[in-house]
Amino acid sequence: MVHATAFLLVLSLAVVAPVLSTRKVTAGLGCAGQGGQGLHCSTGDKPLSPQCVLTGRWTNDLGSNMTIMAVNAKGEFLGSYHTAVTVTGNDIKVSPLQGSQHRTNENSQATFGFTVNWSFSDSVTVFTGQCFVDETGKEVLKTMWLLRSHVDSIKDDWTATRVGVNVFTRLRSKKE
């Protein structure tokens, strides 16, 4: 009966955890950190590396915002991207993103990549990066991107691709 009770407790935590803040769920499990911040957990004597969670709302150094939805068992995810900058004269619209993350083991900080198919222009941007927890426990996404714009002829191909970097930090809800 004791094993069944422990199993039910773990199962209920797995089901309820997305609804509760990370701090409340992990407080009794040897973990410290606030919801949306890197977790510092231990399994007895040895602390695990802080975890960076890719899902959630993020903002970058240019003021663009993105939301990454749940990551499935294969590491695939969907989301949306609302850029704050554009070189087109078009009205900016929220655009879909899709990507995947790779985690070599549960103690590492995820590498990932995603593509944004811009809803307001005929261009596409691919991002690649890694999710880190800095020394203060703050989650940071360090990314590099390639933006490919449409050009009318092969002669203009050299002008079609831009390269850049962005640093994303977690966008806090008004409750936090």
Side-chain angles (χ1 to χ4, degrees), residues 19-56:
V19 178
L20 300 174
S21 82
T22 308
R23 181 180 221 171
K24 291 175 187 171
V25 172
T26 58
L29 300 176
C31 300
Q34 297 180 1
Q37 287 188 345
L39 296 179
H40 301 273
C41 301
S42 65
T43 56
D45 299 336
K46 186 178 178 187
L48 299 174
S49 300
Q51 296 295 299
C52 186
V53 180
L54 197 56
T55 58

Side-chain angles (χ1 to χ4, degrees), residues 138-151:
K138 182 173 145 185
E139 291 168 303
V140 177
L141 305 181
K142 298 281 283 186
T143 67
M144 177 170 268
W145 53 263
L146 292 171
L147 176 126
R148 177 64 188 211
S149 298
H150 171 80
V151 291

Side-chain angles (χ1 to χ4, degrees), residues 2-23:
V2 172
H3 294 290
T5 304
F7 173 75
L8 290 174
L9 174 63
V10 170
L11 180 61
S12 66
L13 284 174
V15 171
V16 175
V19 178
L20 300 174
S21 82
T22 308
R23 181 180 221 171

